[in-house]
Amino acid sequence: RYNDSLLALRSAEKLDQQSSRVSMMTQYNLGWTLFELGRYEEAVEAFNRGIPQQPDYPFVYWRRGLALEALGRKEDARKDFETSAILIVTAKIKPTEESLAPIRPKLRQYGLDTKYIF
């Protein structure tokens, strides 16, 4: 049902544009959906549009890192995984254990697991 999600998110994006704003959550979910559809470059672009609106949201860097990795841009992906980890460690409100579970193996893969423990 990712195509249905994509249609809904494109509609939300148009509403955002009509009000002359960019919504981080619209762009984050759009990027996530595009990633799931294998449209990695478009996913990166959506995440890029959302980040300036909420640059302290760790999961946007996590998802963008996955898209960059899928594009073969491993060093850029590593930087995003590290940014995500830094934001998680320094967050005032800690993410749930469930939301952190998929992040840990990726940090281990990139050798970041001993530097950022959560």
Side-chain angles (χ1 to χ4, degrees), residues 18-34:
Q18 289 172 357
S19 63
S20 299
R21 66 182 186 93
V22 175
S23 165
M24 166 54 145
M25 285 296 102
T26 299
Q27 294 304 312
Y28 173 74
N29 286 296
L30 178 61
W32 188 345
T33 299
L34 289 164

Side-chain angles (χ1 to χ4, degrees), residues 78 81-82 107-117:
R78 184 188 187 285
F81 296 144
E82 186 163 23
L107 292 180
R108 200 168 23 260
Q109 177 185 341
Y110 281 85
L112 299 167
D113 56 322
T114 56
K115 190 174 182 181
Y116 303 101
I117 301 169

Side-chain angles (χ1 to χ4, degrees), residues 60 62 89-90 94:
V60 71
W62 168 251
V89 168
T90 60
K94 299 298 179 194

Side-chain angles (χ1 to χ4, degrees), residues 83-103:
T83 299
S84 179
I86 290 167
L87 291 171
I88 289 168
V89 168
T90 60
K92 292 177 185 168
I93 300 172
K94 299 298 179 194
T96 65
E97 187 61 33
E98 181 182 4
S99 66
L100 296 176
I103 295 174

Side-chain angles (χ1 to χ4, degrees), residues 46-93:
F47 295 132
N48 288 345
R49 285 190 299 273
I51 287 173
Q53 307 311 312
Q54 194 176 346
D56 61 345
Y57 186 61
F59 298 104
V60 71
Y61 297 97
W62 168 251
R63 295 271 173 202
R64 185 175 71 176
L66 293 173
L68 290 165
E69 184 180 57
L71 290 167
R73 295 170 54 187
K74 303 275 188 198
E75 188 54 36
D76 292 332
R78 184 188 187 285
K79 289 176 187 174
D80 270 1
F81 296 144
E82 186 163 23
T83 299
S84 179
I86 290 167
L87 291 171
I88 289 168
V89 168
T90 60
K92 292 177 185 168
I93 300 172

